[in-house]
Amino acid sequence: MSEMMNGFFEKVTPCLNNIYKFEIKNGNAMPPEPKLPDCVVERLNFFMPMREEGMTFLGVLNCVLAIDEEQAKKDYSFGAVEDWLPVTDEFRKWRDDYPASVYHQMEIAVAILYGYVGQEHQED
């Protein structure tokens, strides 16, 4: 049982840090800067700039996650200015890797709201 719990915490702790690890710097609350795998950063960097074209928070979240890729691709094509970025096997494995998969939606939401390590299009 202890070995199983160690594996659980080993996978889940980085996720929780990406979501909940706010810090106080110079008296100000600073949000976490999620450190995500390259396959996730690639999807975020592709879809995040589309907020400037009118894509909503949920639109970006759904496109990045692409849990139902065919539906996400269909929704994306409604106002798309670029071709769809297909979900890679590497991203799918990360997204669906239990027990951490339970937290990945929240990690991506935090990244969309506050930024992330490797973000190409920083907002001023």
Side-chain angles (χ1 to χ4, degrees):
M1 183 75 162
S2 176
E3 187 176 312
M4 183 176 84
M5 290 306 289
N6 285 341
F8 173 83
F9 288 119
E10 193 174 293
K11 285 186 173 188
V12 170
T13 299
C15 299
L16 295 174
N17 287 338
N18 282 338
I19 299 165
Y20 298 112
K21 194 173 182 182
F22 282 75
E23 297 178 350
I24 303 295
K25 291 184 181 173
N26 300 324
N28 296 315
M30 302 300 292
E33 284 190 36
K35 295 168 188 72
L36 301 163
D38 290 344
C39 62
V40 180
V41 171
E42 175 187 30
R43 294 192 68 75
L44 282 164
N45 283 339
F46 183 82
F47 291 108
M48 288 284 284
M50 294 176 192
R51 293 177 306 161
E52 296 170 12
E53 305 297 325
M55 187 178 283
T56 65
F57 169 83
L58 285 177
V60 173
L61 183 65
N62 289 334
C63 286
V64 171
L65 286 167
I67 293 168
D68 178 346
E69 186 172 9
E70 287 307 310
Q71 184 62 47
K73 186 176 180 179
K74 184 178 172 184
D75 294 344
Y76 170 77
S77 68
F78 179 68
V81 294
E82 295 184 42
D83 289 339
W84 172 255
L85 179 65
V87 175
T88 63
D89 289 338
E90 181 183 10
F91 177 81
R92 191 175 287 110
K93 182 179 179 205
W94 174 84
R95 181 193 67 198
D96 299 338
D97 183 34
Y98 186 81
S101 61
V102 175
Y103 300 99
H104 291 325
Q105 272 187 343
M106 290 186 288
E107 286 182 284
I108 291 173
V110 168
I112 293 168
L113 290 171
Y114 300 117
Y116 51 94
V117 174
Q119 185 172 6
E120 286 182 358
H121 303 280
Q122 294 285 348
E123 292 184 19
D124 296 328

